[in-house]
Amino acid sequence: MPTHDSAAPLTIGFDIGGTNTRAGVVDASGTVVDTVSTTTPEDEDGLVHAIVELVEQLRRRHHPVAAVGVAVAGFLDPACEVVRFAPHLPWRDNEPVRDILQEELELPVRLEHDANSAAWGEYRFGAAKDTDTWVLFAIGTGIGATLMHHGEIYRGSFGTAPEFGHLTVVPEGRACSCGKRGCLERYASGTALVDTAVEIAERGGFEGCGLYRRVVDKRASGNSVVAAARNGDALALATMDHFAQWLGQGLSIVCDVLDPELIVLGGGVSQDADLFLDTARTKMEAGVVGSGFRPTPRLETAELGAQAGMIGVADLARDLA
Ligand SMILES: [Zn+2]
């Protein structure tokens, strides 16, 4: 159990998204003591320069920073030194990002996948404290997932495990950005909510709903579906139920493959888990092999919110300080 230690070094955690780059100074208890942010530049030199500039800003505020962690939404090599490909960032072709940043910053740098960073944060300071075998299921635009076992992040042999978002759940189903069809994240993510609402609306019977016009005019977003569900809109509630059923189905596969003791739902969509958690849990429990005769994991929501990745990767960097 980590305790606050004023002698332990401060580190910076970066969360680099396709739109914004945020950095926070984090202490050994996982508390974010200061933050800065900027728009994520579209070119590689610009992004490196922005990272250096944000570190300089934080250092000018008299934070004695000893190492830097960088959470990246992309594929890394298993040693976490090279960004193989980051679809929403300028790092596209096996960039040795760890070495580039260490040279520019003159500080030790730890790279980590964004879902893994959030998982580490939840493991150290949040919903998964002291949990031996557990899975983070981060639901946002897509689905990111992390498996932790015996206090370590499981990466697989080539650094890509686990890709639960791209399990094929509907043969020849909705097209996915990964190139396949029928992936789980096309049915159980924030963006999937809109596709589902359109499908349900086109089947008819919901013309009187407030959400209906927005959906057929292609003006709906995942957030507008969630907001309508909170107002009791029948089309939105049917959409959320479809989402919850698919999420539960996906989680039952996670149970059958990994048999974890805990599944933590993270990512932006998890903030509205009260709308779908019970249905997803029931579906998960009904969907496992040996249903009714075996324990299934606790299903809980993340505790660290949008700062989980920043806190987690800053904590990982502390080992280098
Ligand atoms: Zn896919």
Side-chain angles (χ1 to χ4, degrees):
M1 183 88 159
T3 53
H4 183 72
D5 177 1
S6 58
L10 294 173
T11 55
I12 291 175
F14 271 87
D15 187 346
I16 303 181
T19 309
N20 291 308
T21 293
R22 299 176 302 148
V25 176
V26 183
D27 73 14
S29 70
T31 303
V32 179
V33 298
D34 200 356
T35 58
V36 287
S37 68
T38 189
T39 307
T40 303
E42 289 176 8
D43 66 291
E44 207 180 317
D45 288 346
L47 180 52
V48 170
H49 180 78
I51 291 170
V52 172
E53 175 55 30
L54 292 182
V55 170
E56 285 308 313
Q57 278 183 37
L58 288 168
R59 284 175 131 181
R60 281 197 294 271
R61 296 182 191 176
H62 305 292
H63 300 298
V65 173
V68 172
V70 180
V72 180
F75 295 97
L76 308 184
D77 72 313
C80 294
E81 295 174 357
V82 174
V83 178
R84 286 180 169 155
F85 180 69
H88 305 295
L89 301 177
W91 292 323
R92 293 286 160 82
D93 187 15
N94 289 300
E95 299 297 332
V97 171
R98 204 275 311 258
D99 288 352
I100 292 170
L101 290 179
Q102 284 197 154
E103 201 175 308
E104 293 291 329
L105 293 168
E106 298 179 342
L107 284 170
V109 172
R110 170 66 197 262
L111 283 193
E112 186 53 87
H113 184 269
D114 60 346
N116 290 349
S117 300
W120 187 263
E122 294 291 340
Y123 174 71
R124 290 274 287 151
F125 309 111
K129 252 186 277 187
D130 305 322
T131 307
D132 189 68
T133 302
W134 72 283
V135 170
L136 174 74
F137 215 81
I139 312 169
T141 311
I143 293 175
T146 297
L147 166 64
M148 285 194 68
H149 183 54
H150 296 343
E152 290 188 10
I153 294 165
Y154 178 83
R155 300 173 191 283
S157 301
F158 305 106
T160 58
E163 284 288 357
F164 290 120
H166 300 284
L167 290 174
T168 304
V169 293
V170 180
E172 300 307 313
R174 296 175 188 167
C176 184
S177 59
C178 74
K180 303 199 298 174
R181 300 191 79 91
C183 295
L184 178 62
E185 73 171 37
R186 300 308 313 125
Y187 299 85
S189 65
T191 46
L193 285 173
V194 176
D195 293 342
T196 300
V198 169
E199 278 184 17
I200 294 174
E202 285 173 350
R203 267 184 243 148
F206 292 96
E207 289 77 2
C209 294
L211 185 65
Y212 181 83
R213 262 292 126 215
R214 288 181 82 96
V215 168
V216 294
D217 290 346
K218 310 281 186 236
R219 288 184 293 117
S221 63
N223 284 336
S224 63
V225 174
V226 168
R230 290 214 175 278
N231 287 327
D233 182 283
L235 173 56
L237 291 173
T239 301
M240 293 307 300
D241 185 65
H242 184 280
F243 168 92
Q245 300 284 348
W246 276 115
L247 176 60
Q249 184 75 30
L251 295 177
S252 71
I253 299 172
V254 174
C255 296
D256 282 345
V257 175
L258 299 173
D259 194 20
E261 64 182 285
L262 170 69
I263 296 174
V264 175
L265 299 182
V269 177
S270 69
Q271 287 160 12
D272 293 294
D274 58 303
L275 291 173
F276 56 82
L277 194 65
D278 289 346
T279 304
R281 181 185 285 115
T282 302
K283 183 75 174 175
M284 174 185 85
E285 289 171 351
V288 297
V289 66
S291 176
F293 299 96
R294 62 174 265 198
T296 48
R298 287 178 289 128
L299 183 58
E300 295 179 3
T301 51
E303 292 179 5
L304 301 185
Q307 290 187 321
M310 178 191 287
I311 293 169
V313 83
D315 192 66
L316 286 166
R318 210 174 319 277
D319 275 353
L320 308 173

